[in-house]
Amino acid sequence: MTTHIPSVRSLLDYDAEAEAYDTTRGGIPRAEAAAAAVLELLPADTHTLLDLGCGTGIVTSRIGRPALRVLGADASHGMAAIAARRGIPVTLADAARLPLRSASLDAVSAVWLLHLLREPGLVPAVIAEAARVLRPGGVFLATVDKDSAHDVGSDIDAVFAAHLTPTPSDASGEVEAYAARAGLLAVGEARFTGHGQGRTPRGSAESLLAGRYASRIVPRGITARELADRLELLPDQDVPRAEPTYRIRSFVRV
């Protein structure tokens, strides 16, 4: 009997988004904060790390220290091409089907990836694949509760409140359960600021209409255009609200 392993499917066209992606996602300050959080959780004996869903490599290229070899994997040609220009050895690959030997890596990271994986069964499949390629004692690092981190109690959040996805795919409790099932034990956590990610009403309306909130917002009873219209009625259209604080969980392969 053949076991079906779901493929990673993005909610956006990341090939089309690639060139503008970094400037619309907080740029270098956010990337540096994310990389520092990853490094904080890496054991001293980590020599190889694979960054799943590495995208443009803006974070991957900053995960550096002596004797650490960092690789990237992404399913988007456009994203991988930019990562390669940054000097990252990058492989075009589905995160649920990695072209790597079992127990061949010291660490695997997944920064801002799991929240995008909405197909049923996909998050546990990706976590199980990360566990497969890790050696015993290796670590898996993943951001959790990414979308909910943007709920900072602002007027924008009040507009979105009735339209939130009820079952985020990166909920920390679910991720921990999937990890345990794959032989990964939760051991630590780091937090970092989402620099440049404080939302504005105008920017939120534009992102909603562009499909960038598809993992978190599902308009109910109204269209996306009508929901955007409500955002456009808020005051201080271009004033950023509070920046989010993101979480990375650390798991060890037992």
Side-chain angles (χ1 to χ4, degrees), residues 34-67:
V38 170
L39 288 167
E40 177 185 333
L41 293 169
L42 283 183
D45 61 351
T46 303
H47 299 297
T48 53
L49 177 145
L50 174 68
D51 191 22
L52 288 181
C54 69
T56 66
I58 191 171
V59 174
T60 321
S61 62
R62 289 167 170 78
I63 304 173
R65 68 187 187 197

Side-chain angles (χ1 to χ4, degrees), residues 149-231:
H150 287 267
D151 296 339
V152 295
S154 73
D155 50 355
I156 296 171
D157 299 326
V159 171
F160 281 151
H163 308 280
L164 299 179
T165 302
T167 55
S169 57
D170 68 338
S172 56
E174 295 295 319
V175 170
E176 185 169 337
Y178 298 145
R181 191 185 308 164
L184 297 166
L185 177 67
V187 292
E189 177 177 310
R191 295 175 181 251
F192 63 98
T193 300
H195 296 290
Q197 293 295 286
R199 297 184 298 194
T200 67
R202 193 186 316 279
S204 295
E206 291 171 355
S207 292
L208 174 68
L209 294 174
R212 297 190 187 110
Y213 293 158
S215 65
R216 181 61 171 160
I217 307 297
V218 180
R220 294 182 178 85
I222 59 175
T223 65
R225 176 66 264 177
E226 289 169 328
L227 187 55
D229 289 342
R230 294 182 183 182
L231 293 169

Side-chain angles (χ1 to χ4, degrees), residues 38 41-43 45-46 48-50 105-109 130-131 134-142 184-185 187 249-253:
V38 170
L41 293 169
L42 283 183
D45 61 351
T46 303
T48 53
L49 177 145
L50 174 68
L105 295 172
D106 296 326
V108 175
S109 59
L134 283 172
R135 62 166 175 80
V139 295
F140 174 57
L141 312 175
L184 297 166
L185 177 67
V187 292
R249 297 292 305 277
S250 172
F251 304 87
V252 66
R253 183 75 167 95

Side-chain angles (χ1 to χ4, degrees), residues 54-115:
C54 69
T56 66
I58 191 171
V59 174
T60 321
S61 62
R62 289 167 170 78
I63 304 173
R65 68 187 187 197
L68 176 63
R69 182 170 184 247
V70 179
L71 313 171
D74 204 279
S76 162
H77 291 261
M79 291 287 193
I82 295 176
R85 293 206 298 266
R86 284 192 159 109
I88 298 164
V90 59
T91 300
L92 277 171
D94 187 321
R97 296 181 179 86
L98 295 173
L100 296 168
R101 298 190 317 274
S102 297
S104 61
L105 295 172
D106 296 326
V108 175
S109 59
V111 180
W112 301 310
L113 173 65
L114 300 184
H115 72 289

